[in-house]
């Protein structure tokens, strides 16, 4: 990586937002000494957190590190569902709402911890009756409904390993994940609501399984939703209605004792090659860190209503819709549908309806809200909010400030949380009662996490220099391996720095003079333009900083002279004219903000950017378009027509 950095003012580092004295006074953790305490002895610190869980048998060793393989709380035994449900029944939380559900059509349900306990017990009985036992894999292909959490917890109750597949994935993706995990059972629903339409999940499941394409699947459990049950095709002997199976299942299933290092779940993420990676998480360490980060990052109180807008099909949904909140005995909101259905104020209406106090969403959603305009927020009382969170990609300062002003009304701290499917839980985030935030910086590691920014040789980079983010010590919720492919696990995450045993996160980063961490996007998102290191994110940030721009995606296109040329795909805000004049203005704007070498060579206006179903801009596809290549794999794309439209447009513009 070149030493020359052209990152600068547009990252927004000039503004600092300390927590208010009122926030500090009530914060779960307000003494900055915790950072030193945890750093002095991370294992002792994590053991304190682990002790907050219920263990059936205590561990004998906190951490066993045989690089690159870690074990945490070795010899300990526990049960996740007992920790997330049963133990709260012995307290005043028994009658507290565990899950508040808002369906897209407006149907609503509240499950108390007692209700959740009853449902998890019953469904654990269903799985047992279907022959599922400890260590077996169960694929869960469900929408954002309480049964997704119930099915996950039921698996943990009997020690089965779940593999949740996002409900928006295709039959091919589902089949590939079922076969890689060798699941015995699929749990799905007949349908689900999305923008007023019915998504027919059972049909997709059938398409995945048909013709014996998934030989390990013995049974399919189907929850009835959104479709008249008589209109659903059920394969005799293979497919069963959830409610029917419950009629003949035992009402009680005792939680089994699971080893701390037994499998909890597999979650597939896309890799740089075509084949998805099965990120494998185990029990004790994962639950410890999910619980710790949930309680401290979000400053959770018993009175909070926490809403994480992520789907349970992503790790954010695993850790901050299900395991973190329920281990902590919190109240979590689950919403089934789209943010703009039936209107663009749905999220704000929902926050007002339930009095949501802590709200956690993604920068891509925030940029959509910006594009839609503040009138949708102004219709609603958002005064219940007291803390906001961001996750999924670097948040550009413009979006951060908009979120702060228009959603938080300038009195909610914002926690920008950096982590990955692989890390299982937050790794870099402010503690909101301690750390003053800077828009666009995820600030500093969570206590007990040891990481650094290094150069290509693995040596720490000085302040202000771009480098690579590495994690130096094992952490409780780290992935243990890639399911069925330990070689790939070693290659992808641990081979880059060899003997140094550093976890290579794949993200570029920089630490400023105050020690704040600035994430710069995936390292493959860094452009080399005429020998200069330019982050795609930085140019995007500068573009979005212009009042006419709603969203921008920037890629480096191969250029004979400069190595790479900067190519920007831009969507404009409602009411703006996307024309030649604006192209000139925007090029000049970026030039002024970042310096002339950062001026985009091409700017292309488009109505939509191609995104994965989890909301990440698919830069690889944009690169293919800009370089005139045949389009690669588009299976994870939310709307494939976006790409073909863009390709036609780009060709015309040349
Ligand atoms: C990648 C991991 C973590 C759950 C959702 C994504 C990027 C994530 C941030 C952030 C900058 C971020 C990184 C990371 N990322 N959060 N706050 N600031 N970048 O999980 O799909 O495994 O993606 O998302 O590039 O490596 P994932």
């Amino acid at each position: 990586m070149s030493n020359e950095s052209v990152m600068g003012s547009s990252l927004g580092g000039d503004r600092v937002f300390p927590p208010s004295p009122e926030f500090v006074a009530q914060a779960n953790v307000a003494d900055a000494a915790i950072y030193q305490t945890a750093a002095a002895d991370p294992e002792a610190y994590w053991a304190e957190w682990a002790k907050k869980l219920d263990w059936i048998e205590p561990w004998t060793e906190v951490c066993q590190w045989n690089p690159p393989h870690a074990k945490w709380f070795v010899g300990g035994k526990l049960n996740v569902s007992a920790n997330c449900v049963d133990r709260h029944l012995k307290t005043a939380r028994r009658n507290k709402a565990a899950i508040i559900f808002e369906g897209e059509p407006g149907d609503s349900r509240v499950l108390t911890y007692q209700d959740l306990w009853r449902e998890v017990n019953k469904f654990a009985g269903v799985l047992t009756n279907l022959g599922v036992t400890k260590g077996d894999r169960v694929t869960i292909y469900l929408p954002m409904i309480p049964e997704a959490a119930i099915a996950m917890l039921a698996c943990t109750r009997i020690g089965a390993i779940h593999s949740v597949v996002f409900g928006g994935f295709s039959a091919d993706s589902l089949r590939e994940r079922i076969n890689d995990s060798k699941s015995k059972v699929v749990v799905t629903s007949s349908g689900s609501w999305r923008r007023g339409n019915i998504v027919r999940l059972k049909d997709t499941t059938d398409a995945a399984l048909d013709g014996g394409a998934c030989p390990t699947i013995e049974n399919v459990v189907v929850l009835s939703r959104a479709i008249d049950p008589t209109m659903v095709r059920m394969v005799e002997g293979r497919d069963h209605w959830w409610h029917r199976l419950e009629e003949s299942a035992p009402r009680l299933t005792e939680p089994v004792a699971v080893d701390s290092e037994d499998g909890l779940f597999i979650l597939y993420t896309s890799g740089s090659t075509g084949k998805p990676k099965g990120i494998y998480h185990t029990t004790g360490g994962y639950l410890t860190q999910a619980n710790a980060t949930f309680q401290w990052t979000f400053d959770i109180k018993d009175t909070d209503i926490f809403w994480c807008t992520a789907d349970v099909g992503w790790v954010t949904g695993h850790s901050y819709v299900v395991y973190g909140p329920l281990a902590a005995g919190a109240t979590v909101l689950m919403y089934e549908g789209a943010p703009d259905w039936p209107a663009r104020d749905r999220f704000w209406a929902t926050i007002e309806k339930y009095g949501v106090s802590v709200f956690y969403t993604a920068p891509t959603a925030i940029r959509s809200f910006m594009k839609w305009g503040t009138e949708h927020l102004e219709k609603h009382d958002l005064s219940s909010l007291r803390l906001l969170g961001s996750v999924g990609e670097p948040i550009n300062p413009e979006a951060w400030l908009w979120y702060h002003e228009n959603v938080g009304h300038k009195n909610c701290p914002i926690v920008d949380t950096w982590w990955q499917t692989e890390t299982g839980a937050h790794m870099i985030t402010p503690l909101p009662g301690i750390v003053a935030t800077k828009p666009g910086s995820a600030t500093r590691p969570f206590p007990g996490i040891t990481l650094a920014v290094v150069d290509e040789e693995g040596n720490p980079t000085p302040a202000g220099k771009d480098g690579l983010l590495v994690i130096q010590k094992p952490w409780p919720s780290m992935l243990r391996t890639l399911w069925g492919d330990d070689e790939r696990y070693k290659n992808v995450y641990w081979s880059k720095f060899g003997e140094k045993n550093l976890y290579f996160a794949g993200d570029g980063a920089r630490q400023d003079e105050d020690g704040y961490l600035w994430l710069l996007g995936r390292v493959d998102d860094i452009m080399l333009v005429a020998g200069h290191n330019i982050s795609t994110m930085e140019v995007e940030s500068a573009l979005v900083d212009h009042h006419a721009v709603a969203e921008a995606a920037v890629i480096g296109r191969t250029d004979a002279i400069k190595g790479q040329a900067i190519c920007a795909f831009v969507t404009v805000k409602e009411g703006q004219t996307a024309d030649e004049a604006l192209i000139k203005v925007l090029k000049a704007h970026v030039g002024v903000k970042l310096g002339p070498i950062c001026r985009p060579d091409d700017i292309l206006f488009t109505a939509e950017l191609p995104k994965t179903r989890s909301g990440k801009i698919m830069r690889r596809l944009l690169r293919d378009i800009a370089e005139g290549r045949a389009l690669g794999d588009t299976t994870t794309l939310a709307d494939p027509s976006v790409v073909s439209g863009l390709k036609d447009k780009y060709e015309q513009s040349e």
Side-chain angles (χ1 to χ4, degrees), residues 269-270 279 314-316 360 363 390-395 415-423 425-426 428 440 442 505-508 518-523 525 614 616:
T269 62
S270 46
I279 308 296
W314 312 117
V315 75
T316 310
Y360 189 35
S390 173
V391 60
E393 56 175 316
I395 179 165
V415 289
D416 173 8
T417 60
W418 179 91
W419 58 297
Q420 307 176 300
T421 307
E422 291 87 342
T423 70
H426 299 160
I428 306 175
D507 280 38
W518 298 81
L519 279 305
L520 304 171
R522 302 293 304 174
V523 281
D525 291 343
S614 64
K616 282 198 170 49

Side-chain angles (χ1 to χ4, degrees), residues 84-98:
C84 291
V85 190
D86 301 47
R87 69 178 174 141
H88 304 311
L89 303 192
K90 295 175 234 151
T91 73
R93 288 177 179 149
R94 173 180 169 175
N95 298 316
K96 176 179 173 175

